[in-house]
Amino acid sequence: MRFEIVLAPEAVEDLRSLPTAARAEVKRALETHLRNDPTKLSRSRIKRLRGISRPQYRLRVAEIRVFYDVVGESVEVLAIVEKAEASSWLEKFGSPE
C-alpha cells in the first residue's frame, strides 16, 4: 500500500530552510522510507517514540530528524529539525501520553 505524504506548513518551512543537499536527501528518505511502510521500525532509521502520543515516529536522515504521525493511509510530517534541536522541539511541541 502506498501512503500519501502530507507536510504540515511548519514542516514545509523547515524543509525550505535546509541546505540544498540536505533537502534532497530528506526528500529521498521520505519517498524511500515513508511512502510504502512508514511504521516499519529499524534500529537506525525509524523509531516509535515512547511516552509521546504526537508525534508517533521519528525518521533519522543523517543529522536531520523527521517527526511524523501515521493516520490511516496518510503520513503527516510535523517537523524536520536538526539533531541538536530535536529534544527541545519534542519538549515544546510533543504531546505526552
Side-chain angles (χ1 to χ4, degrees), residues 3-4 6 10 13 17 22 24 28 36-37 40 55 57 59 61 63 65 71 73 76 82 91-92 95-97:
F3 287 79
E4 178 185 10
V6 179
E10 296 84 4
E13 289 301 316
S17 69
R28 246 189 329 273
N36 295 311
D37 198 357
K40 181 180 180 186
Y57 296 93
L59 170 66
V61 183
E63 294 298 311
R65 301 300 183 257
V71 180
E73 296 180 11
E76 297 176 356
E82 297 276 338
E91 286 177 16
K92 189 173 182 181
S95 301
E97 287 186 317

Side-chain angles (χ1 to χ4, degrees), residues 20-36:
T20 305
R23 187 179 322 134
E25 192 174 357
V26 167
K27 286 180 180 180
R28 246 189 329 273
L30 291 176
E31 284 297 320
T32 302
H33 300 288
L34 302 187
R35 180 69 68 188
N36 295 311

Side-chain angles (χ1 to χ4, degrees), residues 15-69:
L15 191 61
R16 284 186 185 144
S17 69
L18 293 175
T20 305
R23 187 179 322 134
E25 192 174 357
V26 167
K27 286 180 180 180
R28 246 189 329 273
L30 291 176
E31 284 297 320
T32 302
H33 300 288
L34 302 187
R35 180 69 68 188
N36 295 311
D37 198 357
T39 60
K40 181 180 180 186
L41 303 180
S42 66
R43 292 182 113 177
S44 61
R45 287 271 179 208
I46 297 176
K47 179 180 180 181
R48 176 91 161 94
L49 299 175
R50 296 184 193 151
I52 299 175
S53 62
R54 184 173 173 119
Q56 300 168 332
Y57 296 93
R58 182 221 68 201
L59 170 66
R60 182 186 61 80
V61 183
E63 294 298 311
I64 308 290
R65 301 300 183 257
V66 178
F67 294 104
Y68 66 95
D69 288 331

